[in-house]
Each structure stands twice: as C-alpha cells, then as structure tokens.
Amino acid sequence: MKFFNGVQSPRSIDYYLRVLLIILITIFLINLLVSFFIVSTTRQQSINYVTDTIHLYLEEALQNLNAIDHFMIWTVKNDPLLANIEEAEGAEDLPESIRDFRSRVNDFQYSSGREYQFFLALKEESFFFNASPLQMEYSEYLEAKTYFLAETKRPADYESLYTWQSVKLNDEFYLYHSLEYQNRTFICLVSVEDILLPLRNINLGKNGLIVMENEEAGYLSDPSQVELLQTQKWNRLFSSYLLFKESETSLPFSLHVSTDHFSAFKKVVIAQIALVLATALISVILFIILKYIKNNVISPVQLFSKNLSAINQNNESIDFESSSIKELEQAGIQFKELINEIKKLKINVYEKEFEKRQIQMDFLKMQIKPHFYLNCLTTIYSMAQMEMYKEIKEMTLATSKYFRYLFQTNQNFVLLQKELDHINDYLDIQRLLHDHAFQFNSVIEPGTEKAKIPPFALQTFIENTVKYSVSLDEQIDISLQIEQIEAKDKNWINITISDSGPGFPSDVLNSLQKNILLSNKQGNHIGINNVIQRLQLLYGEDYSIDFFNASEGGAVIVLILPYLIYEE
C-alpha cells in the first residue's frame, strides 16, 4: 500500500473508495462468520426460552379458567345466596343479601385472582350489579351493563357452558363467560391486558410483542399492534414468530408471539469469545485503514468543512482549489453559490410552518368552548330538579356524542356522514335548550355522504347560524342541501347552508365577500376564520366559498369542494 507525501495531483474520490472497499470486504467476511454464529445461537436460545415460559403460563391459565367455569356453574344453579337476592322483600333486605354474595365471590377470587371480575344480572327485575370489586372505569362498567343486559335476552344452551367470548368496551378488549339459569345470569369478565400481564415480564426484546386472537372476533388488540405483528411475521432475519393455537391449548384464545432476538439477548458467552479473537485481527487492519483515510480522505474533508464554515460566516474570499479530491473542489464552489438560496428557502419554510401551527392552534381553541359545556350541565341540573328524566337521557346522550366527536377528531379530513351526525347531535342539544325556536331541514343527495371534508367545516356555520339567528320571538328555518355537481371535467360537492333569520350584518358580509379575516378581539367569528384558513391550507385554490343574504331574507353560504371519497 502506497502513502502519499507532499503535493499530489487531485484524485477522484472513487479511487479512494475502491481501495477502502477492498479492506472493508476483508473485515466484513470475518465479522460475517462471527455474526452468523451469534445470530443462530441467540435465536435458538430465545425461541426455547419463550416457548417454555408461555407453555407454563398457558397451563396455569387453563387451570384457572376451568376452576372459574366450575365455580360459575355451581353458583348460578345452586348457591342459596342468589335465592336470597331474588327473594328479598324490600330495599332493606337487598343490600345485606348482595353483601353476602359478594363475600362469597371475594373468597373465590383469592384463588382465581382479582383481575377476574364477576357480575350478576336478574332478567325479570332488569337488575345488574358487580359481584366483585370493579377493576375498570365506571364508563366501561355502564357499557358492560348495557351489553350484558342485552345479552341475557339470548337463550343459553348446554354447549355454551364452557365458552368464553370476547367483547370490546370503551376501546379495551375483554374475555367473558356468561351463564344463564332461569332468571339469573352470572358473568365473569377479564381484561385481555390483565390476562397477558404475566407474560409482559418475558424478555421479547425491544420490538417484541404478544397479540391475542379469538376464533370468533379475530385479533384482540389495537390495529397498530396487529399491523406490526404482520410485518414482523415475515421478517425472519431479525425476529421469530410463534403461534400457540386455540385448538392446541384448549383455551378460548390463540397467542401470536414475536421475539426481537437481537435486543432480547445482547450477551452470549460464546459470541463474546469469538468477538475477542476477531477484535485482535480487526484492530491491526483498522490501524492501516485509519492512517490511509486520515491522509487521503479525512484531511481534505476537514479542509472542505473549514471552507464551508467560512462561507457560513459570509466570507466570500475562499479558495477550494487546494483540496486533493477534485469532487470536493467542485462541490465547494457549487455550495457557495447555493448557500444564499438555501437561506432564503429556510426562511420561507419557517414562515409557512409558523403560519400552519398558528392556524392549528386556533382550530384547537375553537373546539374548546367551556361556556357551551357549562350550559349543557346547567340544563341537565335544571331538568333533574324538575324530574324530567326522559329529557335528561336525551340531553346526556346528545352531549356525550357531541363532545366525543369534538375531542377525538384530530385528522385533516373526516367522513361527511360523521360530520352530519355531529351536526344532528349539536342540534339535538340546541332543541333541548331552545325548545322549538328553529326548524332544521336537510336534503342530502345519496352517495355524497361518503365524501371527505375537513372536520367542523359545516358544523361551524350551522353553529354560527344558531348563535346569531335563533331567538325566542319567532321560529326560524335552517336548511342544509348537499349535492354532487360536475364542472371543468371534475366532480364537486355543492353544499348550501341557509336560514330565514336576519342575515349577515353589512360589515361582516362585506369582509367575508372580500376575503378579509373577521375581527376576533372578543373571540367572535374565530370559527369562520379558522374554517376559511383550513380550507386554504388543505385545498389551495381548488375550492370556493360564497356568502350573501337572500332577497327574501336570511343568510346563505355556498361551499364547493372537490368530491373525494373518504378512505379509512
């Protein structure tokens, strides 16, 4: 190998790369043999460890479920405490009967584990209560109550005595066993996460995961986890995939296990010995490589970097012709010419990003309306005082739907049907607040509800109409019409929102027609401003929005958007 001293004519960087490549190939072949041995050893150890551990867990889980099955069968049919609950003559006897039954269940939980929750439903009385301490949120308990009271309507058969099924409550998966006997339905419910909790201590590596699958319901996990599992299933070089089938384990579920071998077992004794031997040889080779790179690659690159720093400090008198690599000479000159353009581009990108973040922040501010939320709570409280239970149910349901959509919608586009459902939820609340102060009519062309639009685009205008047009003096009409049109060889969604109210004030209408953002010093009109800004960000010039007052009175908004099908 020849080292260069003194002044040398510039050589192409390809020349130095070819020399370096020959050296690196030698190192690569040595490390390849060592790495292959490490990988094969690690994989086998990992697979054996995971397989043995999960088999032990599955055996224990099967014993646990069998014990629960037998306990539930005997209890629902023979336990005299259940008869005491059914035969309770008054409200004073019922708490004591329930307390005795819960004590009975709690005693059993010492062997089964408190993650297994028990519930009792009485069909004739439409009575449902937890027979063990709750291990879930109250909202999940209410959802479970609704689900299992509906489930008791289905007749039970002998084949279902040992059948565990799956259900999703409030975005969390559960397994449950439901036994029905005469008027009684005894239920055991356990979270999938709690079932898998003992397996979380298994060393599966950084990217390892365990996913449960039920034969009837499919994967009992988040779609992201399932997608990652499907990806790792075919990536056998860095991970291994194990399947414990439901039919083989006699359990009501299958387990899919993916192990990341490289991060699970970092230190293997045999691999360490091999690496020590390889390091001695590699050190000698690396010394030669480093010296060669220092003289012919690193030094020119350092000089090039120094020149670039000088350019960054606006020093225009820089000479790039002293480099021994001619590509660096050419790159330096070109970089010097481009640096100013790059600075301008960075400023433009920063300004655009700042504007986008500001609009997004305004969008979030628009969604958070504590006064509306407080008005809903105050109305519910007033209804409760007047014992208007039917109206309370309607108000609570409409409010929960409204705020669920409000806080869960964080995408640029939503399905038009979801936006229409959200409008209906909002108007249901307003009807309860304002009685018959307005009439809402909608004409939706079939098929258009599958289009995608920005979230809250329509609801904002409907809300603005209710806020500024609805009064207790007279009833107004609010209309929404959506149809598909074709223009300029493209399909469009034509959305028209109108009302019979007083219409836009002249100053507001003038600003809207001239595309001037409305003043929002007191927080007014921030919703309309935000919708227009988001439309500009999402569609550019490929949309139109018109504001005007109808000749017979009332405000009219015509919004035309590209007709794009929403895809999940």
Side-chain angles (χ1 to χ4, degrees):
M1 184 177 298
K2 181 178 179 181
F3 295 93
F4 295 98
N5 296 314
V7 180
Q8 289 290 332
S9 59
R11 291 183 179 271
S12 170
I13 196 171
D14 290 335
Y15 169 81
Y16 299 111
L17 289 176
R18 284 194 295 269
V19 175
L20 184 61
L21 183 61
I22 295 173
I23 301 172
L24 292 179
I25 288 176
T26 304
I27 299 175
F28 174 78
L29 292 176
I30 296 173
N31 282 287
L32 184 63
L33 296 175
V34 177
S35 298
F36 178 80
F37 183 76
I38 294 174
V39 169
S40 60
T41 303
T42 303
R43 285 177 62 89
Q44 192 57 46
Q45 288 184 346
S46 177
I47 293 173
N48 294 340
Y49 163 75
V50 172
T51 302
D52 295 340
T53 304
I54 292 183
H55 274 306
L56 290 175
Y57 163 78
L58 293 177
E59 292 176 3
E60 182 180 352
L62 181 59
Q63 294 175 0
N64 226 1
L65 293 184
N66 288 337
I68 292 173
D69 290 341
H70 291 297
F71 169 75
M72 292 180 65
I73 293 172
W74 186 91
T75 300
V76 75
K77 185 176 181 181
N78 303 310
D79 198 325
L81 296 176
L82 293 182
N84 294 340
I85 296 176
E86 292 177 320
E87 296 170 3
E89 296 180 357
E92 64 277 7
D93 297 331
L94 188 59
E96 182 177 356
S97 301
I98 294 177
R99 184 169 58 252
D100 294 339
F101 181 67
R102 282 176 173 169
S103 298
R104 168 83 171 87
V105 174
N106 287 341
D107 291 340
F108 175 76
Q109 280 188 311
Y110 283 110
S111 60
S112 67
R114 296 199 176 275
E115 64 272 18
Y116 293 91
Q117 304 174 77
F118 294 87
F119 303 87
L120 179 67
L122 302 179
K123 291 188 296 183
E124 294 179 1
E125 295 84 357
S126 296
F127 186 57
F128 183 91
F129 70 94
N130 57 302
S132 61
L134 285 178
Q135 302 294 328
M136 59 172 61
E137 297 292 337
Y138 187 68
S139 59
E140 294 176 344
Y141 168 77
L142 294 179
E143 193 172 352
K145 177 180 179 181
T146 303
Y147 178 83
F148 289 116
L149 284 178
E151 282 290 289
T152 58
K153 300 176 183 178
R154 302 189 308 177
D157 53 357
Y158 181 80
E159 287 76 14
S160 66
L161 290 179
Y162 297 92
T163 300
W164 286 75
Q165 304 177 52
S166 63
V167 63
K168 189 176 183 181
L169 303 175
N170 199 18
D171 295 331
E172 184 165 354
F173 291 97
Y174 290 85
L175 291 178
Y176 74 91
H177 188 192
S178 176
L179 288 179
E180 182 177 351
Y181 177 75
Q182 296 178 354
N183 185 44
R184 312 164 183 173
T185 300
F186 197 29
I187 303 156
C188 180
L189 183 71
V190 59
S191 168
V192 169
E193 185 60 29
D194 288 337
I195 296 178
L196 297 179
L197 187 61
L199 297 179
R200 297 305 183 193
N201 294 326
I202 300 178
N203 187 7
L204 299 178
K206 180 180 179 181
N207 297 318
L209 53 87
I210 301 177
V211 175
M212 181 182 292
E213 182 183 14
N214 181 264
E215 188 171 318
E216 295 181 0
Y219 291 103
L220 306 181
S221 182
D222 294 336
S224 59
Q225 293 288 314
V226 177
E227 183 179 355
L228 180 60
L229 175 69
Q230 297 296 336
T231 301
Q232 294 181 352
K233 184 184 297 185
W234 303 105
N235 187 12
R236 298 300 180 88
L237 181 61
F238 300 100
S239 62
S240 64
Y241 169 75
L242 301 174
L243 173 60
F244 301 86
K245 293 184 178 179
E246 182 175 340
S247 57
E248 298 174 355
T249 61
S250 300
L251 287 166
F253 55 84
S254 300
L255 286 184
H256 300 262
V257 181
S258 176
T259 304
D260 183 1
H261 298 288
F262 284 99
S263 59
F265 294 88
K266 296 182 179 180
K267 294 182 180 180
V268 179
V269 177
I270 299 178
Q272 288 180 336
I273 297 175
L275 285 175
V276 170
L277 297 176
T279 302
L281 178 60
I282 292 173
S283 298
V284 177
I285 299 175
L286 285 179
F287 175 79
I288 300 174
I289 293 175
L290 290 176
K291 187 168 182 63
Y292 184 82
I293 293 176
K294 175 66 173 63
N295 294 335
N296 297 283
V297 178
I298 296 179
S299 294
V301 170
Q302 288 176 336
L303 179 59
F304 180 78
S305 177
K306 181 179 179 181
N307 289 335
L308 292 183
S309 299
I311 290 179
N312 199 36
Q313 297 174 1
N314 297 323
N315 187 351
E316 301 295 336
S317 58
I318 300 298
D319 182 16
F320 286 96
E321 297 181 358
S322 60
S323 175
S324 61
I325 302 177
K326 61 183 181 182
E327 284 84 357
L328 291 181
E329 295 180 3
Q330 298 171 356
I333 296 173
Q334 294 172 355
F335 188 89
K336 185 177 179 180
E337 296 173 353
L338 292 175
I339 191 67
N340 292 330
E341 295 297 328
I342 293 175
K343 290 180 179 179
K344 295 179 182 179
L345 181 61
K346 288 172 63 177
I347 294 174
N348 292 335
V349 170
Y350 174 80
E351 292 176 348
K352 290 291 185 182
E353 185 65 21
F354 181 83
E355 179 184 0
K356 180 180 179 181
R357 290 184 180 274
Q358 185 62 42
I359 292 175
Q360 291 173 341
M361 184 63 67
D362 291 341
F363 178 42
L364 293 176
K365 291 179 180 178
M366 181 195 70
Q367 297 182 52
I368 303 173
K369 301 175 181 178
H371 67 276
F372 179 72
Y373 180 63
L374 293 176
N375 288 341
C376 293
L377 292 179
T378 302
T379 301
I380 293 174
Y381 177 75
S382 300
M383 291 177 178
Q385 289 182 319
M386 300 174 65
E387 298 184 356
M388 302 169 63
Y389 299 121
K390 179 181 178 182
E391 288 78 3
I392 290 175
K393 291 181 180 179
E394 295 175 356
M395 186 69 175
T396 304
L397 180 60
T399 304
S400 65
K401 290 181 179 180
Y402 177 84
F403 283 99
R404 182 180 294 110
Y405 181 84
L406 198 67
F407 293 123
Q408 292 181 353
T409 303
N410 56 3
Q411 300 175 339
N412 290 330
F413 294 98
V414 297
L415 187 68
L416 176 56
Q417 183 60 56
K418 290 187 176 181
E419 180 76 0
L420 296 175
D421 293 341
H422 181 59
I423 291 174
N424 289 329
D425 294 334
Y426 171 77
L427 293 178
D428 287 342
I429 297 173
Q430 294 298 334
R431 288 188 184 96
L432 292 169
L433 294 175
H434 299 291
D435 197 14
H436 300 289
F438 65 89
Q439 179 70 31
F440 178 71
N441 300 302
S442 63
V443 179
I444 313 299
E445 181 178 338
T448 57
E449 66 276 2
K450 297 180 181 179
K452 66 178 184 178
I453 65 169
F456 309 106
L458 304 186
Q459 191 268 346
T460 299
F461 294 122
I462 296 293
E463 182 177 345
N464 190 73
T465 300
V466 173
K467 181 177 180 180
Y468 293 102
S469 299
V470 172
S471 66
L472 300 178
D473 297 333
E474 59 177 329
Q475 186 183 70
I476 71 163
D477 294 326
I478 304 174
S479 300
L480 172 63
Q481 182 176 357
I482 302 178
E483 60 182 349
Q484 179 183 350
I485 61 175
E486 184 176 351
K488 298 180 181 179
D489 298 327
K490 292 181 64 176
N491 291 327
W492 307 82
I493 291 292
N494 190 340
I495 304 171
T496 303
I497 302 172
S498 60
D499 62 72
S500 60
F504 292 110
S506 57
D507 57 335
V508 173
L509 182 61
N510 182 59
S511 298
L512 291 173
Q513 290 178 339
K514 292 182 179 180
N515 199 22
I516 301 174
L517 293 180
L518 302 176
S519 172
N520 58 359
K521 293 181 180 180
Q522 290 77 33
N524 298 326
H525 309 299
I526 186 174
I528 295 179
N529 289 343
N530 183 268
V531 170
I532 295 175
Q533 289 177 303
R534 287 193 293 126
L535 291 174
Q536 292 173 349
L537 279 175
L538 296 173
Y539 296 108
E541 300 296 327
D542 200 19
Y543 82 99
S544 69
I545 184 169
D546 295 321
F547 302 87
F548 59 90
N549 290 327
S551 58
E552 62 275 13
V556 181
I557 303 170
V558 179
L559 177 62
I560 300 178
L561 303 175
Y563 181 44
L564 304 174
I565 299 297
Y566 182 83
E567 298 179 358
E568 295 289 349

